[in-house]
Amino acid sequence: MLQLKDLKRLDELFQTMEKANDSFLGYPFAKGFDYEPLWRFLKFTGNNAGDPFDSGSYRVNSHGFECEVVEFFAQLFRAPSDDWWGYITNGGTEGNIYGLYLGRELYPDAVIYFSREAHYSVNKAVRMLRLEHCVVSSQPSGEISYEDLAQQAARGRHRPAVVVANIGTTMKEAKDDAAKIRAVLHDVGISDVYLHCDAALCGPYAPFLDPKPAFDFADGADFITLSGHKFLGAPMPCGVVLSRKHNVQRVVRTIDYIDSLDATLTGSRNAYTPIILWYVTRSLGVQGIKRTFLECERLASYAADEFNARGIDAWRNPHALTIVFPPVREETKSEWQLATSDVSHLIVMPGVTKSRIDELIEAMTNRKVQM
Ligand SMILES: Cc1ncc(COP(=O)(O)O)c(C=O)c1O
């Protein structure tokens, strides 16, 4: 039993988190979801260790639901029907490390290319895996520079290429074009190519954009990672990875201890997040995800117009839910938890309301007038 003072601390923490949740606008996390029907699962030490598609000796798991979620995204991303595999990760960073690990096992001698707008986890992955890499410049929109990629790749044309395409860069939500990347590499004479698509943010809704960005398996991806705790609204970090199955077979080992196949990055794995992602995908379905995206996009368009009408130079990439503007002052950054580097941004995720956006714009413009 907790002492009264500790119960009070829990209450205080809850209130602090609730207040912070209400005000943040600068990170791609949804709000206002309700998973009460799933709370009862917290009674168990759920553990999805092992390959979700294989049986194992520990059965307090949600492997069946995990497989259904992976299959949902395999279909959405046009994976070849007889050559896909995937699992639910702990988030986008694990997805990037895992995807680059598969790339390295396929082409140990490859050079890894990614743009300077890639998430910091890509840089971490190449350092961890000791991969020779090359940072490619980007266009002002945040999309990779295909000219610079061509120049850099021409220098490494005698070696295989592993390329990380951003399907929604962290700061500007720019989308690299998988088909153009493949064409650039083909033109410089590289035929051994592994294309890793980091679709952490846009993965769930990119298939519904018009025009659809080139990022899925039919467009030439070998690997796709997305986050579950961003647009999809899982209340804790998680993600989904999908790969061509033959690339995974290279790393699989049989493990007696779990009586299963070991193909995932971590051993013990969360059994709760697959249930949450199953709940989301089953309750929303393809149409629900599309509808939710369109609602967010309407609000993102409103926000960009409103910023500009109030004299703040804001813009967004086509169909992006991220509105980019000049770096805000420290006070505003802290109050609204706005991610800031050379630019600041607001991200309209499900649950973000017009009134909160109006309050932010009001706060920014009033302060501007005072300056
Ligand atoms: C494009 C991109 N990739 C990967 C990640 C890493 O995701 P996580 O924080 O879930 O590890 C992020 C996080 O913001 C991201 O924006």
Side-chain angles (χ1 to χ4, degrees):
M1 267 292 274
L2 276 185
Q3 291 183 0
L4 212 59
K5 68 174 182 0
D6 290 331
L7 282 171
K8 196 162 163 275
R9 286 193 62 201
L10 273 183
D11 286 344
E12 284 163 6
L13 176 64
F14 183 82
Q15 282 157 14
T16 309
M17 287 177 72
E18 192 175 39
K19 191 158 173 263
N21 186 59
D22 192 43
S23 62
F24 84 83
L25 284 177
Y27 288 91
F29 307 140
K31 316 183 189 210
F33 37 75
D34 178 9
Y35 296 109
E36 199 169 337
L38 306 184
W39 290 358
R40 60 190 157 147
F41 287 94
L42 283 178
K43 277 186 182 164
F44 314 123
T45 303
N47 192 326
N48 276 19
D51 181 338
F53 293 89
D54 193 39
S55 57
S57 37
Y58 188 68
R59 294 199 309 277
V60 189
N61 68 38
S62 60
H63 276 166
F65 281 48
E66 181 172 7
C67 294
E68 285 188 39
V69 172
V70 174
E71 186 171 4
F72 178 87
F73 287 103
Q75 282 174 8
L76 208 55
F77 297 160
R78 302 189 295 172
S81 58
D82 55 348
D83 187 24
W84 61 265
W85 182 88
Y87 75 95
I88 294 185
T89 62
N90 181 47
T93 298
E94 180 179 340
N96 280 336
I97 296 170
Y98 186 69
L100 289 172
Y101 169 51
L102 295 185
R104 186 191 73 181
E105 296 305 287
L106 174 64
Y107 295 129
D109 192 30
V111 178
I112 321 298
Y113 301 89
F114 53 90
S115 91
R116 57 185 286 275
E117 301 274 339
H119 185 258
Y120 67 91
S121 57
V122 174
N123 205 285
K124 175 156 47 186
V126 296
R127 281 183 284 126
M128 281 177 71
L129 295 165
R130 292 181 184 266
L131 303 174
E132 189 175 327
H133 61 279
C134 174
V135 180
V136 177
S137 60
S138 54
Q139 307 174 40
S141 67
E143 186 172 351
I144 194 167
S145 159
Y146 302 98
E147 290 75 29
D148 193 40
L149 176 64
Q151 278 179 18
Q152 310 265 16
R155 268 179 236 133
R157 68 185 174 284
H158 303 301
R159 296 178 50 189
V162 168
V163 185
V164 177
N166 288 300
I167 313 304
T169 58
T170 307
M171 284 308 291
K172 299 174 182 165
E173 204 181 324
K175 298 164 197 88
D176 300 340
D177 187 310
K180 273 193 199 162
I181 289 172
R182 281 208 173 261
V184 164
L185 299 172
H186 177 266
D187 288 350
V188 300
I190 302 177
S191 53
D192 288 342
V193 176
Y194 172 90
L195 191 56
H196 168 124
C197 287
D198 179 359
L201 174 59
C202 302
Y205 55 83
F208 312 120
L209 303 184
D210 185 16
K212 187 188 84 59
F215 81 102
D216 67 16
F217 289 93
D219 295 317
D222 293 297
F223 180 90
I224 302 176
T225 164
L226 66 91
S227 288
H229 57 291
K230 294 189 168 100
F231 181 80
L232 293 173
M236 58 193 72
C238 60
V240 181
V241 289
L242 271 156
S243 169
R244 293 181 189 275
K245 191 171 181 174
H246 66 268
N247 286 336
V248 178
Q249 274 154 355
R250 208 168 282 109
V251 305
V252 177
R253 302 285 180 272
T254 303
I255 307 294
D256 291 343
Y257 176 58
I258 56 173
D259 193 21
S260 181
L261 299 173
D262 177 30
T264 56
L265 195 68
T266 60
S268 289
R269 297 189 301 110
N270 200 321
Y272 197 58
T273 47
I275 304 173
I276 291 165
L277 291 184
W278 180 89
Y279 189 90
V280 172
T281 51
R282 296 294 291 188
S283 51
L284 282 179
V286 163
Q287 289 311 321
I289 294 177
K290 198 170 168 179
R291 199 173 48 245
T292 308
F293 167 76
L294 291 173
E295 282 163 16
C296 292
E297 198 193 9
R298 260 195 301 278
L299 203 48
S301 164
Y302 162 81
D305 290 349
E306 202 62 15
F307 268 115
N308 283 302
R310 301 285 296 265
I312 294 173
D313 189 14
W315 59 276
R316 64 187 182 106
N317 273 305
H319 297 304
L321 303 181
T322 303
I323 297 107
V324 183
F325 39 86
V328 293
R329 293 154 42 131
E330 205 50 46
E331 215 180 314
T332 313
K333 175 180 159 184
S334 157
E335 189 178 337
W336 298 88
Q337 302 164 66
L338 300 182
T340 298
S341 56
D342 55 328
V343 291
S344 293
H345 69 198
L346 146 73
I347 308 190
V348 183
M349 285 287 101
V352 168
T353 59
K354 177 177 172 295
S355 57
R356 280 286 175 272
I357 293 173
D358 287 341
E359 282 171 37
L360 168 67
I361 296 174
E362 187 62 32
M364 282 172 64
T365 44
N366 280 344
R367 279 176 199 158
K368 203 169 164 224
V369 170
Q370 284 161 19
M371 280 193 312

